Amino acid sequence: MAAPFATQHPAWARQASIYEVNIRQYTPEGTFRAFEAHLPRLQKMGVGILWLMPVYPIGQAHRKGTLGSYYSVQDYRAVNPEMGTLADLRHLVAEAHRRGMHVILDWVANHTSWDSKLAREHPEWFTKNAQGQFVAPVSDWQDVIDLDFTKPALRQYMTESLLYWVREADVDGYRCDVAGLVPTEFWNSSRAALEHLKPVFMLAEWDELHDPPFLQPGQFDPNTRLLEKAFDATYALRLRYLLDSVARGQQPVAAIDTYLRAERRKYPAGVYLMNFTSSHDINSWTGTEYERLGPNVQPQAVLAALLPGIPMVYSGQEAALQKRLKFFDKDPIPWNNYPLQDFYTRLLQLKKRNPALANGDACGQFTRLPTADQNVYAFVRHRPAGPEAVLVAVNLGPELRELPVPAAWGGAYQDVFVDQTFTLAPGAALPLPPHSYRVLERGPQTN
C-alpha cells in the first residue's frame, strides 16, 4: 500500500500563485482572445497558475439568469461558443505557456445541466428520486442534476473527458468543483491517468476542516483523503472565514494560531492549502472584500499571500473591485486603471522568488512573533538551510502599534513595499499604523 500523502507536486507549482479567471466578466467581449491581451500584465504580476472558470457550453433548461451558471455543464467535451473556439482556447494556453504560466480548467464532475449530452444519452448515469426523476445535488442548485458515481461507465467517461482537454488543449490540470461530493477513488484513478500524459496540478474545492453551509446534514465528509494521492491543494475555507471574523474584530488574531495548529493536526506540512480573500462565490454571494473586510482589505491580502499555503487572487482584485459581479448575467469588471496592480505584483513576485515562501515545503519554518495587541499578527517564514527569510506584520486595528522585534530577527532587510533596504536593530520596535502591513525580505542580496 502506498504511503499516505504520496502526491507528487509538479516542480513548476513550488513557488506559484493562482489567479482565477472569470472569462465572461473579464472583458466586454467575454472571450478567450480578449482575455489573452491581459497575459503580459499577469505575467509581470507574478501569476504562476491561471485557473479558468468553466469553459463548456451552458445548459438552457432551468437556466438561471440570461446566461446561466458556468457550473451547469451541457457538454464536457465542447467549448462555450460565447467564449470562442477550441482553437482560441489552444492559442490562449500556448501563449500562457510561452510566458511561463500554466493553465488549469474548472471541472464540474458532480452534476450536469438538465439538458446535458449525458442526460440525453445516458440517463442511467444520474441519481433519481423514488419517482425515477432527476434530482438536484443541493436544494439551491435547481439548474443542475446529480451524477451517480457508482456507475463504472460514468467514471470511465469522466476520466476520458479529463484526458481529452490535456490532449486537445495542453492544459496543466484542473480545479474540481465540490470535489468531496465525488468519490475519492475516482479522483485517485483519474490523477494517475493524467500523470501518464504530463505532470498536472489538481485543486479541490473542499476543506476537511470546514463543513459548507450549503450541504445537507450528512453530506460533508471530513475524511475524504483527497490530498493523499489525487490533489495537490484544497481550499483553506476554515481559515478564510476565520480571517473574515478577525478583520471584523469578532475574534482576536490569536485565533489564527489555534487554526494553524488544527491544520497541522489534519494535514502534513507538504500539502498545499489555497489562501484567498475573494473568489467567484465569495464576491457574488457573500460580498466584496470591501464589504467584508473594510479597511483591512490589503492587510488581509498580505496574510493570504504570505501565510503557509498557496495564494489565489480573483479577477478584478487588482482593480480594487468594489461591486458584486453578477453570476448569471453579463457584468464586466471595471478595471479603473488597475489601482492595486503594483500591490499584487509586489506580493506575488515575492512569493515567486523567495525560497522561504515555497509551497508545501516540509523543511520551511514558520515562527510566530510575540505581540501584545489582539489586532497585531506577525511572523517570520524562513529556511534553516539558507539566509532567506520574510518577516510579516499586520495591524488590523484602528490604533498605531509597535512590534518589538526579537534579537534573533534583527539585521538587514528589504522593505518589499517601499523599495528600501535598512538594518533592523535587535530589539527595535517596528511601527505599524492603523490597518497596515509591513513585509521585510532577507536574503543574499541584503546580507
Side-chain angles (χ1 to χ4, degrees):
M1 180 181 294
F5 299 96
T7 301
Q8 295 297 308
H9 308 299
W12 45 262
R14 183 171 173 81
Q15 301 278 156
S17 301
I18 300 171
Y19 185 92
E20 182 185 5
V21 182
N22 187 333
I23 292 287
R24 175 186 289 166
Q25 314 300 19
Y26 213 89
T27 63
E29 301 87 348
T31 62
F32 298 127
R33 286 288 184 165
F35 167 69
E36 192 176 304
H38 288 260
L39 290 182
R41 177 179 67 81
L42 295 174
Q43 176 192 19
K44 182 179 179 182
M45 201 162 86
V47 171
I49 300 171
L50 296 166
W51 150 23
L52 304 186
M53 290 175 68
V55 301
Y56 323 103
I58 294 169
Q60 296 283 344
H62 301 279
R63 171 175 280 197
K64 294 184 177 182
T66 57
L67 298 177
S69 169
Y70 287 121
Y71 296 86
S72 180
V73 176
Q74 195 175 58
D75 188 343
Y76 285 105
R77 301 184 190 178
V79 169
N80 185 344
E82 297 167 13
M83 298 180 183
T85 65
L86 176 58
D88 293 335
L89 178 61
R90 286 172 174 156
H91 194 275
L92 168 60
V93 174
E95 182 62 15
H97 287 169
R98 190 178 73 81
R99 293 182 173 277
M101 294 182 281
H102 293 78
V103 180
I104 63 175
L105 297 185
D106 213 321
W107 195 254
V108 191
N110 181 66
H111 48 265
T112 76
S113 69
W114 285 78
D115 54 356
S116 68
K117 186 172 186 287
L118 291 192
R120 185 174 67 253
E121 297 179 358
H122 293 284
E124 73 278 9
W125 289 356
F126 289 79
T127 305
K128 308 286 178 54
N129 62 17
Q131 291 73 43
Q133 300 165 324
F134 294 134
V135 296
V138 174
S139 59
D140 187 48
W141 302 353
Q142 292 301 315
D143 56 338
V144 295
I145 50 179
D146 193 60
L147 283 162
D148 180 1
F149 270 80
T150 66
K151 309 294 185 181
L154 168 63
R155 295 190 183 203
Q156 180 179 350
Y157 174 88
M158 196 65 71
T159 298
E160 290 172 353
S161 298
L162 289 164
L163 294 168
Y164 171 87
W165 291 101
V166 177
R167 292 192 181 106
E168 292 299 319
D170 199 22
V171 301
D172 303 293
Y174 293 93
R175 175 269 185 189
C176 299
D177 192 60
V178 288
L181 298 185
V182 175
T184 301
E185 294 75 15
F186 163 75
W187 295 122
N188 289 345
S189 62
S190 293
R191 172 68 183 256
L194 289 164
E195 290 288 336
H196 284 298
L197 297 181
K198 65 189 294 189
V200 293
F201 183 86
M202 300 290 284
L203 166 64
E205 186 197 19
W206 202 252
D207 182 357
E208 293 184 350
L209 292 168
H210 176 75
D211 186 349
F214 62 81
L215 294 182
Q216 297 297 317
Q219 276 192 297
F220 174 66
D221 183 356
N223 297 295
T224 54
R225 307 166 75 96
L226 290 171
L227 287 164
E228 291 189 5
K229 297 179 183 178
F231 287 94
D232 297 274
T234 62
Y235 281 43
L237 286 168
R238 179 170 166 182
L239 177 61
R240 177 65 265 140
Y241 292 110
L242 167 63
L243 289 176
D244 277 17
S245 297
V246 170
R248 293 189 294 263
Q250 295 167 326
Q251 294 195 60
V253 294
I256 301 172
D257 301 319
T258 303
Y259 164 79
L260 291 174
R261 289 191 292 271
E263 179 187 299
R264 197 51 56 237
R265 287 193 298 270
K266 188 70 176 179
Y267 303 116
V271 307
Y272 298 6
L273 295 185
M274 188 180 78
N275 301 330
F276 53 99
T277 59
S278 188
S279 69
H280 65 272
D281 280 322
I282 290 180
N283 169 268
S284 293
W285 308 121
T286 306
T288 71
E289 305 150 85
Y290 298 88
E291 290 176 75
R292 294 169 18 250
L293 306 177
N296 287 317
V297 166
Q298 288 176 251
Q300 285 261 337
V302 167
L303 288 177
L306 302 180
L307 281 168
I310 183 167
M312 187 273 284
V313 176
Y314 178 49
S315 301
Q317 289 195 265
E318 67 271 47
L321 182 65
Q322 297 194 40
K323 74 169 182 176
R324 300 187 186 197
L325 295 173
K326 295 177 182 176
F327 205 83
F328 309 120
D329 303 281
K330 185 65 177 173
D331 190 17
I333 295 167
W335 289 103
N336 300 323
N337 204 30
Y338 315 100
L340 292 183
Q341 178 80 20
D342 180 68
F343 170 77
Y344 280 105
T345 297
R346 290 173 185 267
L347 271 182
L348 300 191
Q349 288 288 0
L350 171 64
K351 172 72 179 181
K352 184 177 180 180
R353 71 174 175 263
N354 196 300
L357 301 177
N359 297 319
D361 182 4
C363 296
Q365 295 186 6
F366 175 91
T367 299
R368 171 78 150 95
L369 300 184
T371 58
D373 191 278
Q374 69 168 6
N375 291 312
V376 175
Y377 194 78
F379 58 90
V380 178
R381 291 185 63 187
H382 54 104
R383 303 191 81 244
E388 296 88 2
V390 177
L391 189 157
V392 180
V394 300
N395 178 8
L396 303 176
E399 307 288 340
L400 171 68
R401 292 290 182 259
E402 290 188 338
L403 173 72
V405 178
W409 298 109
Y413 288 92
Q414 175 83 19
D415 190 314
V416 170
F417 284 96
V418 296
D419 294 325
Q420 175 188 7
T421 301
F422 68 99
T423 298
L424 192 60
L430 197 63
L432 295 170
H435 309 295
S436 71
Y437 49 90
R438 298 290 300 272
V439 180
L440 309 180
E441 182 181 18
R442 188 176 78 185
Q445 74 278 8
T446 54
N447 279 284

